[in-house]
Structure formats: structure tokens, C-alpha cells
Amino acid sequence: GAPRCGASLQDPNKALRIQLNANASCTWQIQRNSNETIRLIFSYFKFAPPSSCETESIKVFDGPSTNSPLLGRVCNSTDAVPVFESSSGSLTFLITTNSEDFTRNFFVFYYFFSPESKTEDCGGQLTGPNGTFNSPNYPAPYPALTYCVWHIQTPENTKISLEFQDFFLELDRNCQLDFVAVYDSLTTTTGLIGKVCGHAQPTFESSSNVMTVVLATDYSSSYRGFSAQYSSVPLPGPVEPNPLLTCSSDSMKIVLSKRYLTSLGYNETDLQLNDPSCRPVITDLVTFSFPLTSCGTIKKEEGQSITYTNIISLSSTGNVITRQKNTEIIAKCKMENNSTLEVFYITRNNIIQNITAMGRYNVSMSFYDSDSFSEPVHQSPYYVDLNQTLFAQVSLHSTDPNLLVFIDTCTASPQPDFGSLTYDLIRSGCNKDDTVVTYPPLEHHRRFKFNAFRFLRSFPSVYLQCDIVICDSNNSNSRCTQGCISRQKRAISPYMWKTNTLVGPIRLKRDLSSADQPESLTKADAEVTPNLQRYNFYTLAFVVLILNILTVIVVTLKHHKHQAGYSYQKLQSS
């Protein structure tokens, strides 16, 4: 039957297909005057996908109403085939749903049984390194309304391999009627590895030395059941998680070892990226290498960084059924300023592994011989005329087309380490030199021109250093779109990614004769020249002082000579 919302049931056994929509609250009461108890099995349940146990659930009560003691609860996160047994001849369950527009489906069957009655060869404790067991009456048909539980435990440091040599149960799409459920634990309330029915030869594998096997059947259509054997397999030694992630300006590279995959229960054929068509190169290692903007990679702004994320999904393609159903390796490249970091951790629930590596965009700056920017200048040093116009281009080398390049600051200095003596060409996006002209933005490039510096007269070499900002073009409020701003406003306009690049030295052509001097002397020259200038200044001042002294002496002598021609004469007395 398919009761819409709740019912009062008195049949000795019954199967219910229940379908509910949003905002339901339905109660089913099972009660019968007998000395038997009730076994209630939810062999299939489908809640709304985003629901939680707080908003959608099945609550089972040990008695005739929802005021009776709570036996348990079933919800989206239940990792088992829920089975409940009452302590008397009455039992109640309540299904509630949230407001999500979704059709929920449930299949539940119950039957009354006597706790004293027991089917032979139905369940038990199995120990030792290996063993066999069968369904009741095998190879004859198994009894109706059977519920058998086998607990298997092998020696420490082993795992269990369970094989069904013969398996024939009633078949239906969701294994709702007759089924075998296998658990990766000694309980039937969590750790479900899988549920099977029909005609097959399934194989299961535990993660440790314990396993539980359940056989549940309804009241009709019995078949010959199964014959199974289990064996213990030594657990491999500890394998360190060793995925390696490297990030460059235009690509991501993930390297996994085959031994590590084997320790998780997978091999190299079980892996795929967000885009399954991107396949790894397999040698002794498994290597995924792909451009940042391909293979389903997702780009996202995070504070002052841009991240590129891809996921390696692992799903077993063999016949062995394990509990590792949702294994993922999440690889994330964070493009940050001057950062190097690698992080790896495991979350045991679904064995989700996360790898994060910091990367840097590859940025370069070059001079060009004209405003066509077609021929870069390869010579170093770059010899120029004093008033020559220089053409510079900053380039981002990346396969991501949705990035912008912005020149925040450009500074010139005679010293390659940019000491105290500097000269601003561009500062905070504003042109500070009246000869600077910037060109319209071009994909992954920014260009500007300026005249050779006036202090090339005094210094043999000049270097140019620029701070470069890189932003996501989808962000209309990024630093790259703000242009010239004041320092006060700049503080509330964070960049997404910043680096600097340097070119030089630039020298005057009149110094071309000294081009054969080693470049290593450049800094020394830059340091000696100011000293020479100070020396020349002091020499000139000393010469001027001497000339002034000589002038004073000459004037004094001339004065004395002039007075000597008009000297007083002594008068004779009369």
C-alpha cells in the first residue's frame, strides 16, 4: 500500500511504499494484541538532498505513540540500513520533512516475531584468520522474514576480504526486499560498505580486522541464498601521504605515488580531474600537469590572493566493494605575494585530502626600440642618448585570459639595490615625471614611455624597478581598474596580487667605450662617482679661496705703494 500521511496498522507483517512532499508530518502506529515484538526495517529512504537531521528525519518510538521512549532516528546522514525492534507489541514512527520542493521516497517493512524463536545457521561470531558461512538452508531457499547477523573478527593488523562464491537473492532495483548489508565495523548502526541483492558474486573489503554481515528477507519470493568465505589480509605498513603540488604562473602539477594510492585501496586507473578527459601521465608516479584555466579548474578571489582549484576524484573500478565512496584529492594553487607554503591534511570521514601550494605569477619587463613594441632590446647594458625616448613593456606570462596587469609604481635609481637615491616615474598609478606617457591596457601587457634621465650625466648606470599589480578582470572594483589614486585612498583599495620587476642598467652612449668593463663594476662605479663629485667640489672651493686671498694681498700692496709716493715730510724749524 501507499498511505499518504500516516496510518494505524495491525497486520502481522506489511510492506509500505511511502512518498511525501514538503512540510509533511506523518505518524504510523503499529499495534497488535499478541505476545510478539516488532522488527521494523527501513530498507530504502530518500530525503531532500540538502536536509539535515534537525529539519528532516524519521523518529521511531518504542510504544503506541510519539510520547513513548525514542528508539532511534533516521536522516540523510544515516550510514546504515536502519533496523528497529520494539520491546512490546506496539511501535510508532514519525516522518517529518522540510520546505524543500522535493519528492521523498521510503520503503519500510515490518513483521511481528517471537524473540525466543531462532533460525538455525542464522548469524553468529566468526573468528580466526579465515572461515566460511552460508545463508540458512543453503542451497535450499532461505526462510521468509529472516534476519541474520554475522560478526567477523580476524587477527590484529589485518583487514578482511569477503567473497561470495554463490549469491542468489530476490532482485529489485534498490535492494528493498531481500538483501545482504556489509558493515566496516562490529555494529549495524554505522559504517555501511554496501548493500546487494539479485544474482551476483560480490567481493567486499574492510579497512580493519572487523566486519559485520546482515541478511534480511521479506515474506515472499525466497531463493537459494549465498555461500561466502572470508580471509585476513595483512595491512600494509604506514604510507605517508605524499601528493606533491607545484604551481607556476600558467600551470598546475600534481604528482601521486602508486604506493600511496594502493594504501587507499585504489590504483592509477581510478583517478580523474573535474574534467575526466584530462588524463595523467603514468610511470612510477601518477602525474597530472595542465594549464591553470583548463581541466575544469575553478578560479576564485580570496582576500588578497587568487586561487585555482581542481579536484581529483577516486572511485574504484574493480569488483571489490569498500567503504571509501567519496574519496577526493583537492589541489589548490594560491597566487600570493612572496609566499611559499605547502599544506596537506586528511579528513577521515570521506578520506578527503587537500593540498595547497603557493605560487607566483611570472612577470617580466623589457625595453623596446620603438612604440610599435615589436622588437625588444636584448643588449645589456642598454646604451641610450641623453634625451632619447625609452619604451618599456610589462608582461604577464599566464594562460588565464581573465587577468589584468597594472603598473602601480616605477622608480629609477643609480644603484641596483635601490638605496637612498631614487627618482619616481610612476607612484600609486600616477605619472610623477612629466615625460611619462602610458598606453591603453593590452591583454596581459602594460606599456609606457619616458625620456632618459637627467642624472645620467652624473651616474654611469641607471636601473628601473616597477611594482606590478595583477587582478581578476571579473572584479570591477579591483586596484587594476582604479588608476591614479592618493595614498589615503590606496589603503582601502587592496590589490589582489603584487610583485616587482627590475631592468637595467641604462647607460649613455658616450660611455660606450667603457662597455667592455665587467658589469660587476657598475655598482662600484655608482658609489665612486659621488665621491669624485664631492672631491671636485672641495677642490674648486679651495682654489676659489686661494684666488680670493691673492686678490686681497695684491690690493693691499697696491695701497701701500700708493701711500709711499705721498709720504709726510718733516718740517724744518725756523
Side-chain angles (χ1 to χ4, degrees), residues 182-186 190-193 205-208 210-211 323:
V182 181
Y183 293 86
D184 194 19
S185 65
L186 282 177
T190 188
L192 180 67
I193 299 176
E205 190 173 89
S206 69
S207 62
S208 66
V210 294
M211 178 183 280
R323 196 183 170 207

Side-chain angles (χ1 to χ4, degrees), residues 162 164 180-184 191-195 204 211-214:
L162 174 66
F164 288 88
V180 166
V182 181
Y183 293 86
D184 194 19
L192 180 67
I193 299 176
K195 183 176 66 168
F204 295 86
M211 178 183 280
T212 299
V213 180
V214 174

Side-chain angles (χ1 to χ4, degrees), residues 549-566:
I549 294 173
L550 290 175
T551 300
V552 171
I553 292 173
V554 169
V555 172
T556 303
L557 289 176
K558 284 184 180 182
H559 178 73
H560 281 291
K561 183 178 180 180
H562 176 76
Q563 288 201 353
Y566 296 93

